[in-house]
Each structure stands twice: as structure tokens, then as C-alpha cells.
Amino acid sequence: MKRKDTVKLISADEMEFVIDKDAVMVSQTIRNLLTSPGGFAETKLGEVTFPEISAVILERICQYFYWALQYSRGKETEFHIEPELTLELMMAANYLHT
Amino acid sequence: MSNQKKRNFQIEAFKHRVVVDPKYAEKTWSILEHAIHEIYNHNASGLSFEELYRNAYNMVLHKFGEKLYSGLVATMTAHLKEISKSIEAAQGDLFLEELNRKWNDHNKALQMIRDILMYMDRTYIPNTHKTPVHELGLNLWRDNVIHSSKIQSRLLSMLLELVHRERTGEVIDRGLMRNIIKMLMDLGSSVYQEDFEKPFLEVSAEFYMGESQKFIECCDCGDYLKKAELRLNEEIERVTHYLDVKSEVKITNVVEKEMIANHMMRLVHMENSGLVNMLLDDKYEDLGRMYNLFRRVPNGLSTIRDVMTSHLREIGKQLVTDAEKLKDPVEFVQRLLDEKDKYDSIISQAFSNDKTFQNALNSSFEYFINLNNRSPEFISLFVDDKLRKGLKGVSEEDVEIILDKVMMLFRYLQEKDVFEKYYKQHLAKRLLSGKTVSDDAERSLIVKLKTECGYQFTSKLEGMFTDMKTSQDTMQGFYASHPELTDGPTLVVQVLTTGSWPTQPSITCNLPAETSALCEKFRSYYLGTHTGRRLSWQTNMGTADIKATFGKGQKHELNVSTYQMCVLMLFNNADRLSYKEVEQATGIPASDLKRCLQSMACVKGKNVLRKEPMSKDIGEDDAFFVNDKFTSKFYKVKIGTVVAQKESEPEKQETRQRVEEDRKPQIEAAIKRIESLIERDFLERDNNDRKLYRYLA
């Protein structure tokens, strides 16, 4: 059962990640999506599909969201990025404005 | 998107996305264009934000930002032109509502469009210095809708029409006005100013010009000001409800100029209702309103002040030169105090205690009080009256209040030394006749004078008080050392130090034997303890209480002056005395003697003497007898107390002369001081004006 304050992110290979809203708002793009007036399709269903982001990347990104929340609360830890994921992760980050 | 990586890492060649499809840009753009259409048609719910965002993102990433941007401009423009037409088509009052609705729609659409084009806004636009999406949307709205030829003038005239209707009393939709005006403000302050504010101010000026013309023909000053105030408040309220706050000062300036500044003189001088009438009738509310309105315009307050000043000077001048009023000095001063109270009240209640008005009041009083050179004397007489009887039974605080008011008038006097002379004379009389209502009040006034003018001014006055006290002690000492005298007539002596008391010509008269013996005893006693001093009796200032038995045995105690006592005692040894005999025996100077005899022979109820002939005046050939038929209800009869009167002409001249004399050394001293300052380079004379001195740094 989906709780009200979560959003479902779906990767290109149809993996679903259910993430808290606060975490997801770390991405400016997703934030705009959810707060844009007029109600795009995504807001009704509460889910966003990213046909150009793979599950591995998307998963890492979701972890990043939570890390960012923690970091902003003052916990200083490093977010480790596996080198082979770097490029795609950066591109996704650029895309998601995060 | 590339496939999953193998575990061990491989470096692959950096790949650009290859544009396989030459029409890639076209296709992508048309997806977005379609989306924009849907957004404007309120159909966004079917669209995927992610998809649109991704398309725009990719276009920018692949260097098609230009196409995206220009496409946006074209599409939006086209939509706005359509919208413009639909607004134009609206009829009458629905025009503004339609405009407002479409504006709201546009704003919403704009935000959605900006959200999906966010990547372009973040990257392409700053790089190329193009206008960001939101601002672009506002500009396009402004250019295609607001400034469209069919809308621009219609919008303005509708707005002005509504304002006009509201000014004539109709109720309008203020919420709608507020939204439209806010729209103009959002489009830029120059839009607000050019498309609305400037014309609004012009039209308002015309309107208020008309209003003021209409009112000034038919209203009196008070009513006109009420109306002006109403309109002013109305405009301020209008601004808070639906205009830019920066417009407030501009529109109030318009109202102030048209309704007040342009008619200022006419209002102030309006017959029967203008400023002077308001002042005369104490119309605090009207005056307050005038003050508040006029302070908003240049020279407003100075106009009021000037008219008030000249009016005051006029009234004051009349007051001090009106012969009728001058007959009663106490009444005269009271009128001055009343006038001052009146204006103090006006200034505090209506002119918010404005210092400049206080100053104008003070300078006016100073001007006219000094027009009459008897003012110092009259003020002293007023004080004399108060200290003799006027303050009887008055509370301490009220006494202070009255004395402070007197001080205030005193400050206006230019000839303060004249006042001092008279005050000394009057005080002397009060002290010597024991006729002061309150010692505390006397001293309080001396303190105030000292604070105002310094120790020099009051040192002699204080000396007089000291003398009175010392004399009391002396008398006690005298009787203590002469116990054998306690059965005889009681002597009360006040020893006056010459310098402190007003100079009197000291003419001694011939005292009756009993009295002169007693006086001599006192003289030796006093000189015994104060060697090196000289005493001279001031017989013109004393009093006596005499027990008298008349023809039918009626006994009375008479309170008389020393002179009167001398005259009466003569009749212990004679039944009839002629004027000349009395004069010779007593040695009293002629004018005093005549007054003295008159008060005992010609005044009803006090006629202890009888005169032949029974004329009103004392003639040199008159004869005097004791009036055996004298009756009075009272046992104790007071005859002719010496009251301070207005000086006669010759007395006045004399006093003034003495004042002039006293001034000479003061002026000389001042000249010496100035010369010394000039020598020491503290002062220099002005080159052009010989009467001007300048301080040197």
C-alpha cells in the first residue's frame, strides 16, 4: 500500500522505487514536476517513469537523495560513487538537477 | 541509454549522442509545441511532465536551444494573439473580467511551460543572455495583449471610468480593480506608470479642479475644508485598496494642490467663515482641520500663521489703546491674560502645539503690550490687586498658576525696569499696611522674578522682606527692655533700610506729644544697639488705631493714617480748627493734608469730622469740628486706607524720569563691555551696517 507522502520512481527497465517525498524533492526537476500548477499526468498517479535512466543508476540516485537529506541535517559522511557508474550518474544528476 | 557494465571496468570511448534522425529537432519540437497548445487549452492532465522535460532537455543538450527558444516565442505569441481577440470581443463591463480571467490563465500556463523548459532556463538562456521564460511570458503578454491597439486604450478608459464612478459615489468591484492593477504592476513599473498612473493623475487633477471650483462657490470655509478632507481620505483609501502604494503620495499631491493650495488665500480670507472668524469663535475642530490640511501644501502653515499674527496684533493694539479699557488696570491685565489663554488653547487644541505658532503668539504679544508704555505699571497693579485680595481663599496650586501667567506677561515687557520700580512701590505699600493675602505667594513671585532676571533684580525686594522680619524682632526687644511702657499706647515700628525701599520724600510732620515721646524712646533704644545709623520717621506711611468717644457717648475705634491721627489728636485740645490752623500745627504738606481732611469730613460713613461749609472739596478757609453725631454700625471704623492708585500725570513723569536716570549707568557699563570685546577681537562692527555687531570665531 502506498502511503500518501511517497512517490514511485520507475526506471527504464521497469524497476520501481518507492521513495519519501522529502527525499525526492532533492531533485529540482522532480520538485518542479510535483509542484507545477495544472497537474501533469504524474501528479495524479504519484509516479514518474524515467525511460532513459537504468535501475542501477536510479537506485544510486535514490540513495543519494537520502544521503543528501542526512547531510543537510549535519551528518558528515561521504557519498561513495563507483567509478564505472560515474558518467551516467553525472548525466542523470544533470538531468534531474540535483 | 548504454547497457549494463561488466564487473571489471572498461574505459569506453566517449560517446556523443549521434543524431541519427535529421528531423530529430523538428519532431522533438512539435511534441513540445503540442504540449504548449494543450496547456493553453487547459488539457495538461494528459501530459507527462517527464517526457516533455526530457525532450526539452535533449534539445538543449544537442545544441537545438535556439530552435526551442524561438519556437517558444512564436507559439506563445500566436496564442496570445488569439487570447487578445477574445478579450476584445467582450462587451461592456465584461471586458475587464475577461481580461482578468485570461491573465490568470496565462500566468498558470506560463509557470507550467517554464517548469518543463527549466533546463533551457538554467543553461541555454544565461549563456546567450536571452530573456528567461517567465519574463518572456510577461513581455509577450504586455506586447500582444495590453499594448494591442484595440485593448490598450479601452483598458485605460475602463479603469478611469470605474475610478470616476467610485468618486461619484457608486460601488465598484474593487477586487477586480486590484487584480488588473496588480497585473500592470507585474508587467513592470513603467507599464503601470505609462498605461495607468500618469493618465490617472491627469484625469484626477481635472476632476479635483472641477470639484474645488464647485465647492468654493457654494460652501463656507469650514464646510469646504471638511469636503477636502473627505476627498483626501478617500483617495488614500483607494490606494490601499487597489493601487500601488507608491501612488499614494502622487495622488495626495494632486488633491492637495487642486483643492487646497490653489484656493488657500480665498479660504483663509473668506468673509464670515474664514480663519479670523474661526479664531474669534474658538472653532477648534475647523481650525484643526485647516492646520492639518494646510501643512501638506507649501506655505500653508505660514499663511495661517501670518493671518493669525496680524489679527492678533490688531486686536492687541485695540486692547491696549482703548481708553475705556485703560481705566481699570486690573481689568486691562485680565483681558490680556484671557486673550493669551484663548490663543494658548487654540494652539494646543487645534494647532498641535506647533512651536512656530507659539513663537508667533509670543512675538505678537510682545509687540502690542509694549505699545502702551503703562503696561509695566498696570501689570504691577494687577499683581498688587491679587496679592491684596484677589488670591484670598485660592488654593496653592491655583496661586502658582496665576503667578506663572503674570510672569509670562512680564517676559513680554521691554521695560522691565519700569515694572521693577512700580512693583517695589506697590510691594512697599502692601508690606507696610500688612495688606498681603499670602506671604508665600509674595515670596513665590519674588523667586520667579529672580529666576527670570537674576539676583540683581530682586535683591532689594528681598531686602524689604528681611526688614519686616527684623523689625518684628526689634519691637520685641524694645518692649522687653521697657516693661514700664506696656500700659501706654502701643508702638509698632518697621525699620526700613534706605537702599531697599522705594525712595520717598521724607517730610516729617508734627506728631502729638504722647506719640513723639514714645518715638524718641524707640530711637534711643535702636541707636543704642545700632550705632552709626540714622533713623528718620516716615510719617506719610504710618497708621494708627485711636479710641474715640463722640458727642452722645458713642465709642469707636478708628483705624487711620498717621497724618489723620495728627489731625484728630488736635481736637483733644480744641473744638474748632481752621484749615490753616491744622496745617500749621501738624506741618503736613498741603496736598496730603487736603486728602486727609477730605477722607474724614466728606466721606459718607467715615465722617468723624464736620466741615463748614459742607462742600465736597477742602478750601483754605474751611473750618473743622468733631462730628458729634457720627454713627457707625461697627465699633471699629477704618478711615481712608492708603490704596495704590494709578499714578497721576506728574507722578508718572517723575517715575519715568527716575527710570531713565537709572538706565544711564547700565547703558554706560554695557558700552564699556562691548568696547572691551571689540578691543580683544571678540566682536567687530559690520562694515555696512553701523548698528550691527558680529561675533568673531
Side-chain angles (χ1 to χ4, degrees):
Chain A
M1 279 308 292
K2 202 169 38 162
R3 287 171 301 169
K4 277 230 160 109
D5 45 359
T6 58
V7 175
K8 193 191 284 187
L9 304 180
I10 306 174
S11 72
D13 33 359
E14 287 163 11
M15 284 281 275
E16 296 183 353
F17 301 85
V18 176
I19 311 293
D20 292 310
K21 237 193 195 148
D22 325 345
V24 128
M25 291 292 207
V26 173
S27 156
Q28 283 292 342
T29 305
I30 301 181
R31 179 191 289 262
N32 281 347
L33 185 163
L34 294 173
T35 56
S36 191
F40 288 94
E42 285 87 342
T43 48
K44 255 197 308 224
L45 299 171
E47 40 182 77
V48 190
T49 309
F50 294 102
E52 298 199 351
I53 305 183
S54 67
V56 172
I57 302 298
L58 192 53
E59 183 182 14
R60 213 70 185 88
I61 286 184
C62 291
Q63 286 164 353
Y64 174 78
F65 287 158
Y66 281 100
W67 177 86
L69 277 189
Q70 278 188 341
Y71 187 81
S72 73
R73 288 176 202 139
K75 293 194 183 165
E76 292 212 25
T77 47
E78 213 194 290
F79 187 76
H80 179 67
I81 301 178
E82 295 86 334
E84 65 266 25
L85 297 180
T86 311
L87 178 61
E88 286 177 66
L89 214 40
M90 289 302 114
M91 290 196 59
N94 187 37
Y95 179 75
L96 292 173
H97 192 184
T98 186
Chain B
M1 193 69 170
S2 45
N3 292 328
Q4 278 298 330
K5 297 277 178 286
K6 301 167 201 143
R7 280 277 152 165
N8 40 343
F9 169 179
Q10 274 179 291
I11 297 175
E12 299 191 358
F14 191 71
K15 286 184 196 161
H16 290 284
R17 176 166 291 277
V18 175
V19 180
V20 175
D21 187 343
K23 293 213 185 91
Y24 166 74
E26 265 317 313
K27 279 207 193 132
T28 316
W29 166 244
S30 60
I31 295 174
L32 288 166
E33 189 181 13
H34 172 79
I36 293 176
H37 281 310
E38 293 299 274
I39 287 174
Y40 270 104
N41 292 335
H42 310 117
N43 264 344
S45 54
L47 303 171
S48 157
F49 181 96
E50 194 278 335
E51 183 191 339
L52 298 170
Y53 179 84
R54 184 169 25 96
N55 277 306
Y57 173 85
N58 284 329
M59 273 191 85
V60 174
L61 207 58
H62 295 103
K63 313 278 189 240
F64 292 112
E66 170 76 42
K67 183 168 175 65
L68 180 56
Y69 191 84
S70 52
L72 172 65
V73 173
T75 311
M76 225 187 236
T77 305
H79 272 284
L80 289 176
K81 283 191 156 62
E82 283 298 308
I83 288 172
S84 200
K85 286 208 189 79
S86 96
I87 294 172
E88 285 161 26
Q91 302 280 16
D93 286 349
L94 296 173
F95 173 77
L96 284 183
E97 283 174 33
E98 184 66 10
L99 175 61
N100 187 40
R101 197 173 338 165
K102 292 289 188 233
W103 164 249
N104 290 337
D105 288 349
H106 172 68
N107 270 320
K108 187 166 149 191
L110 186 56
Q111 195 177 340
M112 291 166 77
I113 292 170
R114 194 207 49 190
D115 287 340
I116 58 181
L117 299 184
M118 181 64 80
Y119 190 72
M120 177 181 76
D121 231 14
R122 268 171 53 206
T123 55
Y124 172 76
I125 281 175
N127 287 344
T128 53
H129 306 292
K130 286 201 158 56
T131 315
V133 175
H134 180 78
E135 198 185 322
L136 174 68
L138 293 183
N139 291 348
L140 289 177
W141 174 270
R142 174 196 63 202
D143 297 337
N144 292 295
V145 179
I146 301 302
H147 286 171
S148 96
S149 54
K150 296 226 179 77
I151 291 185
Q152 189 171 24
S153 47
R154 193 170 163 194
L155 172 60
L156 176 62
S157 62
M158 281 240 62
L159 291 175
L160 294 178
E161 160 89 26
L162 285 177
V163 169
H164 183 79
R165 278 199 224 158
E166 202 180 41
R167 283 179 177 153
T168 55
E170 270 185 54
V171 174
I172 62 168
D173 185 344
R174 283 183 153 182
L176 180 57
M177 281 295 278
R178 185 170 41 247
N179 288 343
I180 302 283
I181 297 288
K182 177 122 198 331
M183 170 189 77
L184 293 176
M185 284 163 66
D186 288 345
L187 294 176
S189 65
S190 67
V191 175
Y192 173 74
Q193 277 166 25
E194 296 301 321
D195 283 277
F196 173 74
E197 200 189 46
K198 271 209 193 101
F200 165 73
L201 292 173
E202 277 168 22
V203 157
S204 302
E206 278 166 34
F207 175 78
Y208 281 112
M209 193 187 302
E211 279 282 280
S212 65
Q213 208 49 53
K214 196 170 65 178
F215 291 157
I216 202 125
E217 301 292 336
C218 68
C219 295
D220 70 24
C221 182
D223 283 339
Y224 180 93
L225 292 176
K226 278 201 188 92
K227 287 191 160 56
E229 191 183 58
L230 271 173
R231 281 302 190 186
L232 196 59
N233 289 339
E234 188 195 310
E235 292 302 323
I236 293 174
E237 202 223 13
R238 172 165 299 114
V239 171
T240 58
H241 274 106
Y242 56 80
L243 299 182
D244 181 5
V245 67
K246 291 199 214 63
S247 295
E248 185 182 304
V249 65
K250 296 179 195 172
I251 184 64
T252 51
N253 280 348
V254 166
V255 179
E256 286 154 12
K257 176 166 174 287
E258 296 300 328
M259 293 210 79
I260 301 171
N262 287 351
H263 299 280
M264 210 159 59
M265 289 317 233
R266 188 166 166 181
L267 286 167
V268 160
H269 293 290
M270 206 175 257
E271 229 179 281
N272 297 330
S273 66
L275 177 60
V276 170
N277 300 82
M278 290 181 187
L279 290 171
L280 289 171
D281 296 337
D282 292 321
K283 295 252 192 261
Y284 296 147
E285 202 195 301
D286 287 339
L287 287 166
R289 184 172 296 115
M290 185 186 271
Y291 181 83
N292 284 328
L293 289 173
F294 278 48
R295 84 200 300 185
R296 291 166 164 267
V297 301
N299 297 327
L301 290 187
S302 62
T303 302
I304 298 181
R305 205 168 40 234
D306 292 342
V307 171
M308 182 186 89
T309 303
S310 59
H311 167 70
L312 245 181
R313 289 187 178 210
E314 202 34 58
I315 294 196
K317 190 158 140 193
Q318 280 169 24
L319 238 179
V320 307
T321 49
D322 180 351
E324 269 302 308
K325 305 268 180 350
L326 293 175
K327 286 193 181 149
D328 181 354
V330 176
E331 193 40 46
F332 169 82
V333 174
Q334 189 59 51
R335 288 283 321 266
L336 290 177
L337 290 176
D338 292 342
E339 205 61 30
K340 180 72 168 42
D341 278 344
K342 177 190 164 88
Y343 277 88
D344 278 341
S345 202
I346 288 178
I347 291 178
S348 83
Q349 303 234 30
F351 295 158
S352 67
N353 274 323
D354 188 319
K355 259 226 142 56
T356 60
F357 280 76
Q358 266 299 342
N359 292 344
L361 176 62
N362 287 340
S363 82
S364 302
F365 264 75
E366 204 180 310
Y367 163 77
F368 63 72
I369 280 186
N370 290 303
L371 283 180
N372 182 343
N373 65 357
R374 296 196 78 171
S375 292
E377 186 196 342
F378 285 4
I379 294 177
S380 180
L381 282 170
F382 179 84
V383 176
D384 184 70
D385 176 81
K386 290 291 170 216
L387 288 170
R388 278 177 184 272
K389 45 182 168 36
L391 291 178
K392 200 175 169 102
V394 175
S395 75
E396 230 179 273
E397 301 144 3
D398 288 343
V399 166
E400 284 298 300
I401 291 175
I402 293 179
L403 293 181
D404 284 333
K405 286 190 182 169
V406 169
M407 281 308 293
M408 175 263 308
L409 283 185
F410 171 78
R411 276 183 210 110
Y412 292 138
L413 289 174
Q414 272 161 9
E415 301 196 292
K416 293 184 166 69
D417 51 354
V418 174
F419 174 87
E420 193 212 354
K421 273 258 166 341
Y422 283 108
Y423 190 77
K424 209 152 74 155
Q425 283 173 21
H426 299 154
L427 176 63
K429 286 183 181 146
R430 281 199 301 277
L431 287 176
L432 293 178
S433 55
K435 286 272 180 293
T436 185
V437 147
S438 156
D439 233 28
D440 288 337
E442 293 275 3
R443 285 183 188 278
S444 174
L445 189 53
I446 305 277
V447 167
K448 290 182 204 294
L449 286 170
K450 184 153 75 171
T451 313
E452 188 65 28
C453 301
Y455 173 67
Q456 292 272 16
F457 195 85
T458 53
S459 60
K460 291 187 181 150
L461 301 174
E462 287 180 344
M464 287 158 78
F465 278 96
T466 314
D467 281 349
M468 296 300 290
K469 181 74 180 43
T470 313
S471 299
Q472 268 181 337
D473 297 338
T474 310
M475 284 323 296
Q476 275 179 358
F478 175 66
Y479 275 103
S481 62
H482 291 274
E484 76 282 6
L485 291 174
T486 36
D487 286 335
T490 316
L491 179 66
V492 175
V493 180
Q494 271 122 7
V495 182
L496 316 177
T497 312
T498 310
S500 304
W501 295 75
T503 43
Q504 298 276 350
S506 75
I507 303 170
T508 28
C509 63
N510 300 327
L511 295 171
E514 308 92 318
T515 326
S516 67
L518 193 50
C519 290
E520 279 316 304
K521 284 215 167 69
F522 179 84
R523 183 200 290 278
S524 7
Y525 167 77
Y526 185 83
L527 293 177
T529 45
H530 299 94
T531 46
R533 293 191 183 178
R534 236 182 8 165
L535 283 181
S536 46
W537 296 104
Q538 305 285 105
T539 49
N540 54 332
M541 289 163 83
T543 58
D545 292 328
I546 315 181
K547 290 204 173 78
T549 312
F550 290 86
K552 300 211 180 89
Q554 64 275 44
K555 291 192 203 288
H556 289 281
E557 189 178 297
L558 307 174
N559 174 264
V560 295
S561 71
T562 306
Y563 284 161
Q564 286 164 338
M565 173 196 71
C566 297
V567 170
L568 289 175
M569 297 295 277
L570 292 176
F571 286 92
N572 275 346
N573 300 319
D575 287 329
R576 176 195 189 282
L577 288 166
S578 70
Y579 173 84
K580 287 217 161 43
E581 288 171 313
V582 175
E583 193 181 23
Q584 177 122 81
T586 60
I588 297 173
S591 60
D592 291 316
L593 181 56
K594 287 198 175 122
R595 275 210 310 263
C596 164
L597 286 168
Q598 202 165 27
S599 58
M600 291 193 290
C602 310
V603 177
K604 193 163 170 229
K606 316 278 184 178
N607 48 341
V608 291
L609 289 181
R610 190 167 48 85
K611 177 170 86 80
E612 283 171 12
M614 300 246 289
S615 52
K616 222 175 3 127
D617 298 313
I618 308 293
E620 306 239 333
D621 297 316
D622 290 354
F624 295 90
F625 309 81
V626 173
N627 179 10
D628 283 317
K629 296 209 188 86
F630 174 76
T631 51
S632 170
K633 281 191 287 187
F634 307 103
Y635 172 65
K636 288 193 185 178
V637 182
K638 195 146 80 166
I639 303 190
T641 318
V642 179
V643 175
Q645 291 177 359
K646 272 194 308 181
E647 279 190 325
S648 60
E649 241 343 278
E651 285 174 330
K652 206 166 55 154
Q653 298 289 14
E654 218 196 303
T655 307
R656 185 147 283 278
Q657 213 178 6
R658 270 186 260 143
V659 171
E660 297 293 332
E661 283 299 316
D662 285 347
R663 282 179 180 167
K664 284 205 185 108
Q666 303 259 20
I667 295 175
E668 277 173 23
I671 291 177
K672 288 248 160 11
R673 280 199 293 278
I674 293 177
E675 280 173 353
S676 150
L677 286 172
I678 292 178
E679 255 178 49
R680 290 185 286 149
D681 287 335
F682 284 110
L683 282 185
E684 65 171 5
R685 287 194 108 122
D686 184 88
N687 286 329
N688 299 322
D689 183 356
R690 290 301 280 171
K691 286 189 271 180
L692 196 59
Y693 290 96
R694 293 183 181 288
Y695 276 106
L696 295 174

